[in-house]
Every structure is written in structure tokens, then in C-alpha cells.
Amino acid sequence: MRDMAQLVDPEVELYAAAHTTPPPAHLEAVDVSTREGFAAWGMMVGRQEGRFLEMLVFAAQATRVLEIGTFTGYSSMAMAAGLGAGGSIISLEMDPHHPVTAPGNIAPAGLESFISVIEGPALRTLEQLQGPFDLVFIDADKVSYDAYYEAVLPKLAPHGLIVVDNTLQHGGVLARTEQPNEPARALRAFNDKVVNDPRVVCVLTTIRDGVTLIRRAG
Ligand SMILES: C[S@@+](CC[C@H](N)C(=O)[O-])C[C@H]1O[C@@H](n2cnc3c(N)ncnc32)[C@H](O)[C@@H]1O
């Protein structure tokens, strides 16, 4: 489970949350049911990052959004609020339970015509999906981040944005972590690669557990 207090002063986190527009009732309900129903509820982006994702979708005027890692649907529902006219989200999920849970949250909110959940290993599904995508949110298994990045970069719209979650790995990417776990090792390599990749421009923001924004160079 994520504990953002590890990286950011808890008082600062609370202050930031208190000065972020609260989520609508349907998202609050997903937050509550996910916390109650899933031991790994901390995988959910939550209210602050949810609003941040919505803002990115809105500012990019994104109409084709791709998400890798659906879980209970919180982040895709948050992003839906920022979609441009005619916009839609495709969300990829491997765990067979979540493509049942997420639509069960999405439909009562009236968002079923905006969000499609595709079940299966994301890398295999990605082979079948055609771009261009205006915004891609990567938030699945950390060891596959590089493979997801390589798979989606060619499908990114010229002004598109790749948004990558958990790039700080609770500090596991830092040199002071002498024995990083497997996800942290993967993120160290991924972060080093992206910042040196001439194909892109990136910024690693210290929002929650680290959110990296990537666009095409030039
Ligand atoms: C961090 S959670 C996603 C949280 C979600 N974005 C949210 O904020 O509510 C990661 C999800 O990725 C899924 N996942 C893990 N490996 C995957 C894979 N190879 N293909 C597709 N989904 C995968 C997990 O089952 C899990 O539901």
C-alpha cells in the first residue's frame, strides 16, 4: 500500500488535499468502496492525483485517452471529467476481477459510454490498439513500465502526453536506498532512460509517489 507520508510531510499532504476541489459523489463512493473492499486500496490514485489527471486531460483537450491499469476505475473516472467533446478512455486491466468491479462503478456514474475496460495482459492488448492517443496514463506492473513506454510512444499524438505513476517508488529510486526492491530497480532504470531519451522531453513531479510527464521532443 502506498503511504505518501513517506515522501511528503503529512501536514503538507493534508493541506494540499484541503485545497483541492473535492471529488464528486460518485468518485467519493468508489474511494470508500475500494478502501472497504480491497486490501490493496492504496493502488488507487486518490483525490489529489485524480484531480491532477483530470486537469491534464482537460488542458491537453484530450479526446483519446489510454490507461494501463484500471483497478476499481477511480483514475479513469477522474480523467473522464476532463475529456473533450466526443472523448473516450480505453483502460487495460489484467486481473479478471477488476473488469467486473470497475464497470460496476463506472455505470452508476453514467460514464459507461466514455470508458471501456479491456481485460487481458496490457502488452498483448496494446499490440491490437491503434493510436494516436492524446494522453496515456501508465499505472500497472512497474517492471513492465519500459515495455509500456516503448509500446505507446509510437502511438502518441504529436501533442500527446504520457503520464507515468509511482516514479519515485516511495524513495526506492534514490541512491540512499541501498537495497531497492524489484519495482524500484525497474523505476530507477526507467527514469534514467527517459531523462536521457532524445525522443522525448520529461518532468518528474513530486506529486504523491512521483508522477512523470513525457512528451515528444521537438
Ligand atoms: C496501481 S493499480 C491501478 C490503479 C488505478 N489506475 C487507479 O488509480 O484506481 C495497477 C493495476 O494494474 C493491473 N495490472 C498489473 N499487471 C498488469 C498487466 N500486465 N496488464 C494489465 N493490467 C495489469 C493490476 O491488476 C492493477 O489493477
Side-chain angles (χ1 to χ4, degrees):
M1 184 181 77
R2 295 174 185 168
D3 180 7
M4 297 313 126
Q6 293 172 1
L7 290 181
V8 181
D9 182 333
E11 202 179 335
V12 175
E13 285 286 3
L14 283 174
Y15 184 85
H19 293 81
T20 296
T21 307
H26 64 255
L27 262 189
E28 194 59 40
V30 176
D31 191 324
V32 170
S33 64
T34 302
R35 283 170 192 264
E36 287 173 355
F38 295 86
W41 61 265
M43 294 202 300
M44 179 174 54
V45 293
R47 66 157 60 186
Q48 195 188 5
E49 191 177 342
R51 277 289 180 205
F52 183 65
L53 290 170
E54 174 197 332
M55 292 290 182
L56 292 176
V57 170
F58 181 83
Q61 299 186 311
T63 57
R64 289 204 78 211
V65 174
L66 173 67
E67 173 177 71
I68 305 175
T70 315
F71 191 33
T72 59
Y74 189 100
S75 50
S76 47
M77 292 171 72
M79 290 192 286
L83 281 175
S88 61
I89 298 171
I90 297 171
S91 186
L92 312 184
E93 175 57 56
M94 185 171 75
D95 185 322
H97 295 106
H98 302 326
V100 178
T101 305
N105 290 329
I106 290 164
L111 295 172
E112 67 271 32
S113 57
F114 300 100
I115 303 169
S116 322
V117 180
I118 303 180
E119 183 184 334
L123 279 174
R124 197 175 306 159
T125 309
L126 281 168
E127 288 171 14
Q128 318 295 327
L129 292 179
Q130 294 214 328
F133 291 101
D134 302 309
L135 188 140
V136 180
F137 180 47
I138 299 178
D139 189 22
D141 53 318
K142 310 310 165 194
V143 292
S144 302
Y145 269 25
D146 183 40
Y148 295 142
Y149 173 68
E150 291 297 344
V152 300
L153 189 55
K155 300 177 199 271
L156 193 65
H159 284 263
L161 207 54
I162 300 175
V163 183
V164 190
D165 202 13
N166 306 115
T167 48
L168 289 175
Q169 284 298 298
H170 317 288
V173 294
L174 304 177
R176 73 181 185 209
T177 303
E178 290 175 5
Q179 292 187 314
N181 59 20
E182 198 182 6
R185 284 201 301 277
L187 263 297
R188 280 184 181 187
F190 177 78
N191 292 338
D192 289 347
K193 170 178 169 166
V194 171
V195 77
N196 290 301
D197 187 341
R199 297 173 295 175
V200 302
V201 174
C202 69
V203 53
L204 196 167
T205 74
T206 53
I207 295 170
R208 296 189 84 236
D209 191 28
V211 179
T212 297
L213 311 182
I214 303 168
R215 71 162 174 85
R216 289 180 187 278

